[in-house]
Amino acid sequence: TLRIMVITFNELRRIKDKLPSGSSQRIADELNLDVNVVRNYFGGRHFDEGGCPAGIHIESGPDGGVVTLDDTSILECAMRIIAENAEA
């Protein structure tokens, strides 16, 4: 089941900034995605390298705007990695 979530762009970037080095590749490997899809999910612009838009829709506004995520799989994987690192 796909879950839709609304989050601010800045909050999404804060989550990305908490990820340890190499996390984009780890998430891509775990979810069988191109790494650029993961990078674009967190606000990257890697469309020319095979990273088609990853189900995010950004609307301008306060705190970087509002991001609607059509699928939270990447976000959930990122949060799990952050939690693992907090325990270590």
Side-chain angles (χ1 to χ4, degrees), residues 23-38 50-52 54 71 73-74 77 80:
S23 293
S24 291
Q25 187 63 58
R26 178 178 166 187
I27 293 168
D29 292 345
E30 287 185 22
L31 299 177
N32 197 29
L33 299 170
D34 184 288
V35 69
N36 286 319
V37 170
V38 177
C52 61
D71 181 352
S73 301
I74 292 172
C77 194
R80 184 173 37 78

Side-chain angles (χ1 to χ4, degrees), residues 12-79:
L12 191 61
R13 293 297 290 183
R14 281 191 283 275
I15 292 167
K16 181 222 170 254
D17 291 343
K18 290 179 185 177
L19 289 167
S21 179
S23 293
S24 291
Q25 187 63 58
R26 178 178 166 187
I27 293 168
D29 292 345
E30 287 185 22
L31 299 177
N32 197 29
L33 299 170
D34 184 288
V35 69
N36 286 319
V37 170
V38 177
R39 291 178 181 141
N40 290 343
Y41 189 90
F42 289 105
R45 297 285 177 254
H46 304 277
F47 303 114
D48 295 338
E49 297 92 15
C52 61
I56 67 169
H57 310 280
I58 302 172
E59 296 178 33
S60 330
D63 207 18
V66 175
V67 179
T68 302
L69 305 173
D70 291 342
D71 181 352
T72 58
S73 301
I74 292 172
L75 181 63
E76 290 167 9
C77 194
M79 297 303 286

